[in-house]
Amino acid sequence: MSYALNHTNRKLTLEPKITVNAKIVVVGASSVGISFLETLIFCSHLKFSNLTLISTHGLPGKNLLGTEQRKFLASDHCYNDKDHALMSLCSWVNVVVGKMTAIDRAAKQVIVSREEVVLYDHLVLCTGQQYQVPRPTGADISQHPTNREVLNSGLQQYTGPVPCNHFTLNDEEDCLKALTWIRNNSIAVEDGGIASLSCC
């Protein structure tokens, strides 16, 4: 298990800190969002007492990924599992698990998962890079159309039914779901490879 060794000297113990009670809400547990929270938490002369993180799957690093699962995600050179364990953000940050669905700027509140309300004084949006299900254009590929010839509608996000064997891998939770589906719907050969996949 990873551990953290924190050293505090007498000077830092006796130095008064200014408490900041402003409600700071960070949306998204991307590298930018984690870095922003880390900067506030470890500020030597300020103490932020009301930090909140809104994330779909909570804090990153709670599931230690194995080698197979880690291959699904692009390499993140900012933070690894050990860094998340050493920071211990759960000790300093209130975590709201859910997806932000609306912002009410007049009332200074965020709607999470269409039902929960989170108030804020300062709102920081750090959703990061998110992959989406590709949207079919309906173009006839036998005619070899160019991008200019393909009709572009205002609807850029695909909202139709998604096949059960299609995955968008944005975080470690998505990787676990994809790997579980592959293991349950594939035929393993003797050398450990995958012979075939069943499709829906």
Side-chain angles (χ1 to χ4, degrees):
M1 296 294 292
S2 299
Y3 65 93
L5 177 63
N6 298 314
H7 174 265
T8 304
N9 57 31
R10 182 180 299 176
K11 179 182 177 182
L12 290 178
T13 304
L14 299 177
E15 181 182 2
K17 284 192 173 186
I18 300 173
T19 302
V20 179
N21 292 321
K23 295 185 285 290
I24 301 175
V25 176
V26 178
V27 179
S30 63
S31 297
V32 175
I34 298 300
S35 176
F36 177 77
L37 290 172
E38 179 187 16
T39 304
L40 296 184
I41 289 169
F42 294 106
C43 185
S44 60
H45 59 284
L46 296 175
K47 178 183 178 182
F48 294 88
S49 61
N50 205 339
L51 298 175
T52 303
L53 172 68
I54 299 174
S55 177
T56 307
H57 300 297
L59 285 172
K62 61 183 179 181
N63 294 326
L64 298 179
L65 297 182
T67 305
E68 292 178 331
Q69 301 158 10
R70 195 175 301 280
K71 289 179 182 178
F72 282 104
L73 290 176
S75 298
D76 185 2
H77 300 287
C78 298
Y79 297 100
N80 54 30
D81 294 336
K82 185 177 180 180
D83 294 330
H84 290 299
L86 294 178
M87 272 191 295
S88 184
L89 286 180
C90 59
S91 303
W92 312 97
V93 180
N94 301 315
V95 180
V96 177
V97 178
K99 184 180 291 186
M100 181 187 70
T101 53
I103 302 175
D104 188 346
R105 290 183 174 88
K108 284 198 169 184
Q109 62 185 17
V110 173
I111 311 300
V112 180
S113 301
R114 303 185 190 278
E115 53 186 23
E116 190 173 351
V117 176
V118 178
L119 301 175
Y120 69 87
D121 293 320
H122 304 282
L123 180 64
V124 182
L125 301 178
C126 305
T127 54
Q129 184 179 16
Q130 297 177 348
Y131 300 102
Q132 303 291 335
V133 178
R135 179 179 175 271
T137 60
D140 186 5
I141 59 174
S142 64
Q143 302 296 323
H144 305 289
T146 62
N147 288 339
R148 291 185 179 183
E149 295 171 348
V150 175
L151 295 177
N152 186 13
S153 65
L155 182 61
Q156 295 297 324
Q157 186 174 0
Y158 179 70
T159 57
V162 179
C164 65
N165 59 350
H166 178 87
F167 299 95
T168 51
L169 305 179
N170 288 313
D171 53 28
E172 55 193 30
E173 296 285 339
D174 296 336
C175 293
L176 289 173
K177 291 178 183 177
L179 187 59
T180 302
W181 187 91
I182 290 173
R183 286 177 175 164
N184 293 336
N185 296 279
S186 63
I187 302 172
V189 294
E190 292 182 358
D191 59 354
I194 294 176
S196 64
L197 294 175
S198 60
C199 299
C200 298

